[in-house]
Amino acid sequence: MDGKFIKNVLKIAISNIFIILSGVVSGFFLPKLLGVTDYGFYKIFNLYITYGVFFDLGISNGIYLLYGGYKRAELPKETFRFYFSFFLKIQIIFAIIVTMVAIIFMDNEYKFIFVMVAAYTLVNNIATYFEKISVMIGEFNASAQRNILKSVLTIFIIFVLWVGIKFNVSVRYFQFYTVLFVIVYGILAFQYCLYYKELIFGEKDIISKQNLKKIVLSGFVLLLADMVANLILTLDRQFVSALFDINTYSIYSFAYSMLRIVILAISAIATVLYPTLKRMSVEQMKKSYNYSLAIVGMISFGSLMLYYPLCVIVKSFLIEYIDSLVIFRILFPSITINAIISMIMISHYKALGKEKEYFYISVVILIISAIFNMGAYFVSKSPLGFSVASMLVMVLWYIVSNRKLEKTYNINTKINYIYLIVNIVIFYSISTFINNYYIGFVVNSVVFCIITYIIYTKETKEIICQLSKSINNRIKK
């Protein structure tokens, strides 16, 4: 089981190389091309599209929970055609409402931003609906193909933006790029519809209101929990966007853009884990929990080494964003904690059917996050305070979420706490006292490898073995 899990993770991770490439291109070339102000407006658009998943109303989540572990051939096609028809109508209605509100009540950049939010939400929710089906039924190759397509299209539209700037095309460049960005997700949605056409076209079952209510209610609880979790992750940016000017927000958001590159590099686990857990008994999930924490912890903390080359690139190529580096350094370890929570802990809550507990925990953490962020503003009066507050909230979120699962499984995860604390302390120490990024990278990498091998000897050997097998198999093919 463990070997199969790692194999599937590696399969998605290989396709994620393309996503990382597009993330690097968009993460560094886009802010350079747009400039600080226009990049700030684009990141405002990016901030608000994260709330578009709320218009899903929990439908795709309910389906995801109900049919997790099914194979494609086992899905009731007539029922799924009804689900999509109902889902599509809801998305169109919400898109029209948001567009009308934007046109009537908003001005200037914000009118454009929210019209684009409406368009993006429509196409992205359709793409996400089918993406969840792909993950749910374990079609990881389908997800991998779309990762590659999205990456290629992202690089292409940045090239188109560069051409437009090169030839002084008379447009507002952040608006031009935003339209292209929405078109990319429209293409992805269209391709998904073609790939799963048997779940869209043909005879439909008219399912009872009771069954539909069951789907929506079960998914809505998870949707609310995901929305609250998303608020926790974006609350500091909401404060910065409300309390500071657009250029300050642009600098702060750029730090998150660099973090996103690293998140893309380790997101493969989330794609694989939930359908894997759904096929397990509670006893099997209990045995896999510590192992999953170890695997994700190793990959996540290993990705901290990317901090050093990213800083070198910013200092060499994006000097106007250099003020973001101090925020970046404080926030960077939070990606490891975020990865463990979102990819491991939340997947276990879902598989155990404990969506309500996950929701209650998220609400409590959100309230604490709001208090911490308000306190950070009154104490520091600068964006730097929000980054410190975010890091503290992440640590607290990890402790509370993990503690509940420890009680559920009746296990001890002390070794994972030790691994987390030691790596965070070492990262902050080395990045603070060693100013040379090249030396810092070497020292941190060596120390990380030593700590990882000492604490996770068995897991380290297994990852190396599975990676070697995967590479050898691809070479033979």
Side-chain angles (χ1 to χ4, degrees):
M1 186 278 295
D2 291 339
K4 184 178 180 182
F5 171 68
I6 294 175
K7 182 180 178 181
N8 286 331
V9 168
L10 291 173
K11 184 186 295 184
I12 298 296
I14 290 169
S15 75
N16 276 17
I17 292 171
F18 290 89
I19 294 185
I20 296 165
L21 177 61
S22 68
V24 169
V25 172
S26 62
F28 292 111
F29 283 93
L30 190 59
K32 186 74 173 179
L33 292 171
L34 292 181
V36 175
T37 302
D38 266 16
Y39 183 68
F41 282 120
Y42 172 70
K43 295 307 289 184
I44 291 286
F45 163 76
N46 256 223
L47 176 64
Y48 284 105
I49 61 176
T50 59
Y51 302 119
V53 293
F54 185 76
F55 299 147
D56 176 286
L57 294 184
I59 297 169
S60 61
N61 278 322
I63 293 169
Y64 185 74
L65 292 171
L66 183 63
Y67 294 95
Y70 276 57
K71 300 292 186 182
R72 184 170 181 170
E74 298 169 345
L75 297 177
K77 293 181 178 60
E78 292 81 4
T79 303
F80 268 75
R81 290 166 191 158
F82 175 84
Y83 289 151
F84 180 75
S85 176
F86 178 74
F87 177 80
L88 181 61
K89 290 172 185 174
I90 295 293
Q91 300 314 302
I92 292 172
I93 290 170
F94 276 123
I96 292 171
I97 292 172
V98 173
T99 301
M100 294 304 296
V101 169
I103 292 172
I104 296 170
F105 296 106
M106 295 182 182
D107 298 313
N108 303 322
E109 286 86 358
Y110 282 89
K111 178 183 288 188
F112 170 81
I113 285 171
F114 278 92
V115 169
M116 287 295 100
V117 166
Y120 172 86
T121 298
L122 173 63
V123 295
N124 182 62
N125 282 358
I126 293 171
T128 302
Y129 172 88
F130 287 113
E131 186 176 353
K132 286 187 177 180
I133 289 176
S134 290
V135 174
M136 177 183 79
I137 61 180
E139 289 196 344
F140 302 116
N141 287 332
S143 297
Q145 289 168 9
R146 276 144 196 84
N147 284 347
I148 295 170
L149 175 63
K150 181 167 67 175
S151 304
V152 171
L153 290 174
T154 298
I155 294 171
F156 175 71
I157 65 173
I158 289 174
F159 173 73
V160 172
L161 175 65
W162 176 79
V163 171
I165 294 172
K166 181 84 171 172
F167 291 95
N168 294 315
V169 177
S170 182
V171 292
R172 185 71 184 272
Y173 291 119
F174 102 85
Q175 294 180 348
F176 179 53
Y177 181 77
T178 302
V179 170
L180 294 175
F181 180 85
V182 172
I183 290 172
V184 166
Y185 280 84
I187 293 171
L188 291 172
F190 179 71
Q191 191 189 27
Y192 264 124
C193 288
L194 289 179
Y195 188 78
Y196 288 109
K197 59 187 177 183
E198 78 275 14
L199 303 180
I200 299 175
F201 304 107
E203 294 289 330
K204 294 193 291 284
D205 276 346
I206 307 300
I207 67 173
S208 67
K209 289 183 179 179
Q210 186 176 1
N211 287 337
L212 186 59
K213 183 179 178 182
K214 180 182 176 183
I215 288 281
V216 173
L217 286 180
S218 62
F220 195 70
V221 173
L222 182 55
L223 175 65
L224 285 177
D226 286 341
M227 282 296 297
V228 173
N230 185 61
L231 279 170
I232 295 169
L233 296 173
T234 60
L235 195 60
D236 59 329
R237 277 171 282 171
Q238 289 283 180
F239 272 97
V240 175
S241 68
L243 297 170
F244 297 91
D245 60 61
I246 191 66
N247 287 355
T248 302
Y249 179 73
S250 179
I251 296 295
Y252 193 86
S253 292
F254 178 71
Y256 270 99
S257 296
M258 290 192 289
L259 290 175
R260 182 175 174 273
I261 295 171
V262 183
I263 287 291
L264 290 172
I266 59 179
S267 62
I269 297 95
T271 307
V272 174
L273 187 59
Y274 177 73
T276 303
L277 292 174
K278 283 294 286 185
R279 296 184 179 95
M280 295 182 184
S281 65
V282 174
E283 188 61 30
Q284 287 174 319
M285 284 192 286
K286 172 182 174 179
K287 290 178 180 178
S288 74
Y289 182 63
N290 259 325
Y291 181 84
S292 300
L293 287 179
I295 297 297
V296 175
M298 291 162 65
I299 296 172
S300 300
F301 282 107
S303 69
L304 283 183
M305 302 312 110
L306 292 173
Y307 165 79
Y308 302 99
L310 290 175
C311 287
V312 171
I313 293 172
V314 172
K315 280 201 166 186
S316 305
F317 182 64
L318 292 162
I319 195 69
E320 60 267 47
Y321 294 91
I322 199 166
D323 289 343
S324 68
L325 290 183
V326 63
I327 297 168
F328 184 44
R329 190 177 72 83
I330 294 170
L331 286 173
F332 210 93
S334 71
I335 63 168
T336 60
I337 305 172
N338 178 19
I340 294 169
I341 294 169
S342 61
M343 298 178 192
I344 302 299
M345 296 178 185
I346 291 176
S347 292
H348 276 264
Y349 277 106
K350 290 177 183 178
L352 289 167
K354 293 182 176 290
E355 294 85 12
K356 288 184 179 179
E357 282 193 38
Y358 162 46
F359 173 65
Y360 296 144
I361 290 171
S362 299
V363 169
V364 170
I365 298 299
L366 177 61
I367 294 170
I368 294 171
S369 179
I371 294 170
F372 277 24
N373 276 282
M374 286 187 287
Y377 176 70
F378 288 117
V379 170
S380 70
K381 300 291 184 181
S382 77
L384 190 62
F386 294 113
S387 59
V388 174
S390 294
M391 183 62 197
L392 294 174
V393 167
M394 279 293 169
V395 172
L396 185 61
W397 196 7
Y398 176 96
I399 293 170
V400 174
S401 300
N402 187 59
R403 186 62 187 144
K404 285 285 184 181
L405 289 170
E406 279 184 318
K407 289 181 179 179
T408 299
Y409 290 138
N410 192 26
I411 57 175
N412 188 319
T413 62
K414 188 182 295 182
I415 192 70
N416 300 300
Y417 280 117
I418 293 171
Y419 187 72
L420 181 141
I421 292 168
V422 170
N423 273 291
I424 289 176
V425 169
I426 286 171
F427 172 78
Y428 280 137
S429 300
I430 293 174
S431 60
T432 299
F433 296 109
I434 299 179
N435 295 321
N436 185 300
Y437 294 124
Y438 299 99
I439 296 174
F441 173 78
V442 173
V443 173
N444 209 155
S445 298
V446 171
V447 174
F448 165 75
C449 291
I450 293 170
I451 290 170
T452 299
Y453 189 79
I454 291 172
I455 295 179
Y456 293 135
T457 305
K458 178 184 174 184
E459 290 82 359
T460 302
K461 289 179 178 179
E462 190 159 353
I463 280 187
I464 293 171
C465 179
Q466 289 295 331
L467 185 59
S468 299
K469 285 181 181 178
S470 179
I471 292 171
N472 288 334
N473 289 337
R474 287 184 174 272
I475 291 172
K476 288 177 182 178
K477 289 179 182 179

